[in-house]
Amino acid sequence: MDDEGARGVRGTGADRVPRPPAGVPLPPAVPPKVPGTGAPSSGQPWGPRSGEPEAPRVPAIPPPAGPPAAHLTGPTPPPPTEQPPASLDVWLRTPRPRAAPGVWRFGFTPRPPEQGEEVSDRSLVVGAVITLLSALLLWSLWRNGYLPYRLVPLKLFTPGEWWNPGTSGGPRTIEGSDALTVYEAFLFGLLVYGSGRIGNFSELFRRHVVDRGQPFLALAAAVAAGLTQLLVWKEALPVVRPVLVLVAAVAGGEIYQSQTVVNIIYGLIAAAVLWPFARLGRWRELVAARRGTATPPPADDPAPATETSADRWPELRAAGWTDAAETLTAEVRTGRMNDVDVARLRHAWAEATRSPDRLAALAEAVLRTGGAAALHPSGRRDLPRRTARHDVLTGQVRIGRCAEDPHNPHARRSTGLALDPTLLGTSLLAVGPPGSGKSDRLVRPVVEALGLRALAGQAAVLAVGGAGAPLGPDEAFDVVVRVGNPASAHDLDLYGGTSDPDEAAAVLAEGLVGDVGSLDSRRAATVLAQLLGPYRAAHGHFPSVPELRELLDGAPAALAGLRATLEAAGHHAMLRELEARARQAGAPGDPAPVLADRVALLDRPAFAGFFATGPDARPFELRSLGQYPLRVRVDLPERGHAEASRLLTRLLLAQFTAITAARTDTTLFAGLVLDDATHAVTAETVRGIRRLRSVNAGAVLTLRTVDDVPEPLHTPLLGAVGCTAAFSGITTWDGKRFAEAWGKEWVETREVAQHTVFADQPFTRALHALRKLVTGKAVTTDAVTVRQVEKERWSASELAYAVPAGHAVIRLTTVDGEYAPPLLVELGGR
C-alpha cells in the first residue's frame, strides 16, 4: 500500500481518523457540502462517535488506484465491472428464504422429502407382469360369465323388464344390451385403473421409458398408441360400442343416419385414444424441437419485476423519496452499481432512518452521485478479486456443498453451505493438517466476506497470518502491517491504543506469558503495571520495546532515571509503584525475568524501528476496529522469528477480545481471523472468545492439531466456540475430541441373524437337499431385530479415515442458539 509520503516512524501520517479521499461523497451522517466549499472538517460520519474523549490513531486510508474521484457535481464514477449490467436487478429479486443455519440462501429451494426405499427393477417388472396376467384372467372370467352375481349391481339400477329372470339372466331387450355394454366399459376402466396402480406401471414407464429421453419416449408412446388403436377398432377393448350407445342415448339413434356425423364420431374416438399417448410421449415438444420453433427457456429470473420488488427500492418510495429511488433503479438497470453498492446504500438508509435528520443528506447524495453515495472511506466499491461466491445482502459466503453422505440429514444433502456473521459471531475453530485447505477454502473466503461487509459499512476485519499467507492482495485492505519488513508503511501498537496502564499491562502480560502455565498472568500484569504506570506518568507515553526490556531487567540507570523524573514532577503515587517493583525484584517467583526474556524476542535487529511509542510515532491501534469499518492485515515473520510471531499472535488475540468486549457501540461486526493460532490460545483468551457473541464480534482460529493448545484448554476451547470444522487428515486423537464435543444421537439399527431351517417332512427335506445341491448353500431364515441405540454422530475413526480429501466435517451454531449437526462438506463444491 502507499505510505502517503511517510518516512521514518511508520504510522498514520497527519490524519487521526480515516477519511474519504478528496472529492468522494461523504456518508450521510452530515449533509454534503455544496460545490466549492470542500469537505467538512468535523462531524464526519466515519469519525469518532459521540461521547468519546479521544479518537484512536488509525492510518489514513489511501484513495483507490487510478484517476481521482469526481467532485459532487462532476460526472458519476465509472460503473463497476464485477456485476453484469443485466443481472443485478435479477440478483436483487432472487428470493432468499429463511433456512437452517449454514444453508446458502440465495435462490434456495428446499429438497423434496425423503422417499422410501426404491423398488428394484426386477421386483418392479415381476409385479407389473403378475398384475397384467391377473387383470387379463379376471377380464376373461368376466366376459365368459364365470363370475357369479356379476350383473346384480346393474339390475339394481335399471328396470326389471330389461332382463331375463334369475341372478344370472342376461338382457331381454335392446335397452338391456346397451346398458350392459356401458356397464362393461365402466368396469373395464376401473380394472385398468386399479391394475395400473397395483402394478406400479407409472414408475415402470418413468424408469425405463421417460428416463431415456427423446426420441425413444415418443417412439415408445407411438407404438403403444398404434397397438391400442388396433385393439380398440378390433373391439378387443370396450371403447367404440359404449361411445356409440351413449351418443345414441343422448342425441337419439337418428344421428347415425348421417355418414358425416358417424365419421366425426369415429375421428373423435381415435383422437381421444391418441391424446393420452401424445401427452406421455411429448410429441408436441419433439416436433417443435425438430422444426426449431421450440419456446426458448425463460430467463433466469425467479421473481418478475413489480413495484415492490427489491430493485425498485420500495423502502425509499414508501418514505417519500421517489426521486432517489428512481435514480437508484436506473443505476441498477444500467449496470452502474454492483452488489456492494446495494448493500452499502441499504445499510446507510437503515442507519439514516434511526436519525431522520440524516435522510435528506442521503437522498441528496444519491441524487448527485447515484450508486457512489455513502462510499467507504477508502473510496473503493469492491474487492480487486473474489475467489468465492458471495451474497452481500445476507452477508453469506459459500464455502462448499454438503455431500451425499448418510451422515448428513436428507434435507441438507447437495445444498450449499455458507458462513455469515450470525455464525461467525459464535467463533469458529478449524483443525486440519497442512494442505487440507484451511487457508484457501475457509480463511480466504471468510476474509473476503468480512472485507465486502466492511466496504458496505457493516463490519471490520483483522486478518493475521504469516508473510505470504493467502489472505488477499494488498489492495483488498486499508491497512497492511508487515512486522519486521522495513518497507511496511504501518506499525503496530503493542498496547492496543489504550492510555490506562493497568489495561495495557493486563493485555500485554497475556500476550507475553499467557502460554506459560507455571506463571500467573495476573502477577505478570502487576509487574508490568508497576513499570508502565510510572513511565507513562513521567514521559506521557508507554515505553518502547528496548526501554521496557531494560526496566524488566532492573537496569540501574533506567530505574534511576525514571525515579528522578518522577520526583521532579511530583508523582508520589507512581514513585510508590516503582519502589514496590524495586522491592519485589529478585524475589522467588518474580515474573520479571520471564517477561524480560519474552520482550527480548521483539528486541531484535529485524524489528528495529517497529513498535515505536514516542510522540512522533503513529502506529496502528487495534482499538480502531471497534469504531471504523476497517480492513486490516498483519503479516508476521513466521519463518525467521517463529516465537516472536506466536507472541504477537497471542497479543493480538488478547487485544481483540479485550477491546471488543469493552466497546459500547456494537453496530459494527468485528471479526478476527488467525490463519495459524498455534500456541496463541490461553485460558484468558478462551474466556474472551466466549464473550464475543454478546458484543457482535467473532474469531476464526485455525490449528494443525488440537495439541497446539495446552491440554487443559482442549475442552474449554471446544466449548467456547460455536462452530467447529474437522478437515480431512486429522488424527484419531483429534477426532476423539471432536466426537466428544459433538455428542451422540439416537439411531435405529437393524440386526439380521440367519438360522438354518430343518425340515420334518420327507418331501420338504428333499426340496431343501435339491436347493442346497443347486445353490451350494443351506436353506436359512432371517431373524431381524430393530432397536434404538445412542451412537456418536461421527466417531474418531470416521473423522480420521472416512473424510475424503478436499472435505471437512463442520458443525454450526448461530448467536441465537440455532444449530446444525456435523455435516460432511465438499469444500469449494458448487
Side-chain angles (χ1 to χ4, degrees):
M1 296 182 68
D2 188 8
D3 62 1
E4 299 175 328
R7 294 294 184 269
V9 180
R10 301 169 183 82
T12 63
D15 295 333
R16 295 176 64 85
V17 296
R19 299 177 184 273
V24 176
L26 298 171
V30 293
K33 292 291 184 180
V34 294
T37 61
S41 58
S42 62
Q44 296 240 18
W46 301 101
R49 287 173 167 79
S50 59
E52 296 179 358
E54 178 185 359
R57 298 189 297 271
V58 295
I61 300 176
H71 200 268
L72 291 178
T73 57
T76 307
T81 58
E82 288 292 334
Q83 182 69 37
S87 61
L88 182 60
D89 53 347
V90 177
W91 176 82
L92 273 170
R93 293 194 298 269
T94 301
R96 296 166 174 84
R98 295 188 61 84
V103 171
W104 175 250
R105 293 170 53 190
F106 181 77
F108 171 67
T109 301
R111 188 173 184 177
E114 185 176 9
Q115 297 180 352
E117 192 173 324
E118 193 176 61
V119 181
S120 64
D121 290 345
R122 178 179 179 181
S123 300
L124 198 63
V125 171
V126 170
V129 170
I130 293 176
T131 303
L132 179 61
L133 294 177
S134 301
L136 292 176
L137 176 62
L138 185 62
W139 184 246
S140 177
L141 295 175
W142 167 269
R143 293 295 300 268
N144 292 283
Y146 288 107
L147 296 180
Y149 310 107
R150 62 190 187 95
L151 299 180
V152 171
L154 180 60
K155 292 181 178 181
L156 291 177
F157 296 96
T158 53
E161 58 270 14
W162 290 5
W163 310 97
N164 292 319
T167 56
S168 302
R172 178 188 298 177
T173 62
I174 296 178
E175 290 82 359
S177 298
D178 294 341
L180 180 59
T181 300
V182 176
Y183 179 59
E184 287 183 345
F186 176 74
L187 292 180
F188 180 78
L190 290 180
L191 180 62
V192 171
Y193 176 77
S195 301
R197 293 296 300 272
I198 296 175
N200 206 1
F201 284 93
S202 59
E203 177 64 18
L204 185 66
F205 180 77
R206 182 195 64 79
R207 191 179 300 182
H208 296 283
V209 180
V210 176
D211 289 350
R212 295 192 178 186
Q214 299 287 13
F216 182 82
L217 174 61
L219 180 61
V223 171
L227 179 62
T228 304
Q229 288 281 9
L230 179 63
L231 295 176
V232 166
W233 296 113
K234 290 293 185 178
E235 296 190 3
L237 301 179
V239 176
V240 177
R241 288 180 57 83
V243 171
L244 296 178
V245 169
L246 290 176
V247 171
V250 174
E254 296 81 3
I255 193 173
Y256 296 124
Q257 295 180 0
S258 173
Q259 187 63 35
T260 302
V261 173
V262 173
N263 293 338
I264 292 175
I265 294 175
Y266 284 163
L268 292 176
I269 294 174
V273 172
L274 287 177
W275 180 78
F277 295 98
R279 290 289 303 275
L280 291 175
R282 301 172 186 173
W283 294 351
R284 184 177 181 181
E285 298 176 11
L286 180 63
V287 173
R290 294 292 184 182
R291 293 181 178 179
T293 60
T295 304
D300 189 13
D301 189 355
T306 62
E307 288 297 325
T308 59
S309 57
D311 61 321
R312 299 279 295 171
W313 301 86
E315 60 271 19
L316 272 70
R317 299 178 188 275
W321 301 99
T322 307
D323 293 342
E326 290 294 343
T327 300
L328 293 179
T329 301
E331 293 273 298
V332 170
R333 298 290 171 80
T334 57
R336 299 186 67 83
M337 291 180 65
N338 63 7
D339 53 353
V340 180
D341 295 330
V342 174
R344 186 186 68 250
L345 290 174
R346 281 192 168 188
H347 176 70
W349 179 262
E351 291 293 321
T353 53
R354 299 188 180 96
S355 301
D357 56 319
R358 299 169 58 183
L359 292 176
L362 176 59
E364 184 180 354
V366 169
L367 290 175
R368 291 182 177 181
T369 59
L375 276 179
H376 185 264
S378 66
R380 299 187 183 274
R381 300 170 64 178
D382 202 350
L383 297 178
R385 180 172 177 265
R386 302 186 188 184
T387 60
R389 295 178 61 186
H390 298 270
D391 185 19
V392 187
L393 281 187
T394 58
Q396 287 190 315
V397 54
R398 179 164 176 157
I399 63 172
R401 179 182 62 87
C402 295
E404 286 281 354
D405 187 85
H407 287 90
N408 293 342
H410 173 78
R412 298 301 298 267
R413 297 173 191 172
S414 300
T415 61
L417 189 84
L419 299 176
D420 58 65
T422 62
L423 298 170
L424 298 177
T426 63
S427 297
L428 186 148
L429 175 66
V431 179
S436 58
K438 301 189 302 298
S439 298
D440 294 330
R441 302 182 182 183
L442 178 65
V443 171
R444 177 70 180 272
V446 169
V447 173
E448 285 184 1
L450 294 178
L452 291 173
R453 289 187 69 82
L455 292 177
Q458 304 175 44
V461 57
L462 171 63
V464 182
L471 300 178
D474 294 354
E475 296 78 10
F477 296 91
D478 305 316
V479 178
V480 177
V481 181
R482 298 183 177 91
V483 180
N485 189 342
S488 177
H490 301 289
D491 198 356
L492 190 64
D493 188 356
L494 293 180
Y495 305 100
T498 182
S499 58
D500 184 357
D502 293 329
E503 181 182 349
V507 176
L508 185 59
E510 194 65 32
L512 291 176
V513 296
D515 61 330
V516 181
S518 59
L519 182 61
D520 188 356
S521 61
R522 290 174 296 182
R523 293 189 59 192
T526 301
V527 172
L528 289 172
Q530 290 172 342
L531 296 174
L532 297 181
Y535 191 95
R536 181 174 178 80
H539 300 283
H541 59 82
F542 291 121
S544 62
V545 169
E547 294 168 334
L548 179 59
R549 181 182 180 184
E550 289 182 354
L551 293 174
L552 290 171
D553 282 333
L559 292 175
L562 179 57
R563 185 179 295 107
T565 304
L566 292 174
E567 290 176 349
H571 294 293
H572 301 291
M574 292 303 172
L575 275 172
R576 289 195 301 270
E577 287 283 293
L578 190 60
E579 293 299 333
R581 170 86 291 269
R583 290 192 303 269
Q584 297 170 5
D590 182 17
V594 180
L595 290 170
D597 291 341
R598 288 301 179 91
V599 173
L601 295 174
L602 303 179
D603 189 19
R604 304 294 301 165
F607 304 128
F610 281 87
F611 317 121
T613 58
D616 297 330
R618 309 287 294 181
F620 169 73
E621 298 173 355
L622 201 62
R623 188 160 61 101
S624 307
L625 286 176
Q627 304 171 13
Y628 307 101
L630 293 175
R631 301 167 297 163
V632 183
R633 193 187 79 204
V634 178
D635 293 344
L636 302 175
E638 286 185 343
R639 295 182 179 177
H641 303 273
E643 287 298 327
S645 297
R646 293 172 181 175
L647 188 153
L648 292 174
T649 302
R650 190 163 53 248
L651 177 62
L652 290 172
L653 177 58
Q655 288 183 355
F656 180 83
T657 56
I659 290 170
T660 52
R663 61 177 181 161
T664 57
D665 188 352
T666 59
T667 55
L668 281 178
F669 177 83
L672 170 66
V673 180
L674 297 182
D675 186 51
D676 185 4
T678 302
H679 300 295
V681 179
T682 65
E684 184 60 32
T685 53
V686 168
R687 287 189 287 269
I689 290 172
R690 189 179 290 111
R691 294 191 297 265
L692 291 179
R693 69 175 66 189
S694 62
V695 292
N696 196 24
V700 177
L701 313 176
T702 66
L703 298 171
R704 294 182 177 89
T705 174
V706 181
D707 289 330
D708 289 338
V709 177
E711 186 174 357
L713 297 179
H714 291 174
T715 300
L717 177 60
L718 289 172
V721 297
C723 303
T724 49
F727 283 71
S728 61
I730 65 173
T731 63
T732 53
W733 290 273
D734 288 340
K736 179 181 179 181
R737 297 182 180 97
F738 280 107
E740 292 175 351
W742 292 339
K744 300 179 180 181
E745 62 179 344
W746 288 98
V747 297
E748 183 181 276
T749 61
R750 295 169 58 90
E751 297 180 357
V752 180
Q754 293 185 339
H755 302 283
T756 303
V757 178
F758 297 96
D760 295 331
Q761 301 297 326
F763 180 72
T764 307
R765 286 200 298 269
L767 289 179
H768 288 184
L770 177 61
R771 179 176 176 180
K772 184 176 181 180
L773 180 64
V774 174
T775 62
K777 296 180 180 180
V779 179
T780 60
T781 181
D782 294 340
V784 181
T785 303
V786 180
R787 59 179 179 175
Q788 295 283 336
V789 298
E790 197 175 18
K791 181 183 177 182
E792 291 178 331
R793 299 179 184 272
W794 281 84
S795 67
S797 298
E798 289 174 330
L799 289 173
Y801 303 112
V803 179
H807 290 65
V809 181
I810 302 177
R811 180 189 183 274
L812 302 174
T813 305
T814 68
V815 292
D816 297 328
E818 298 183 70
Y819 69 92
L823 303 170
L824 179 62
V825 180
E826 179 187 357
L827 299 171
R830 299 297 182 182

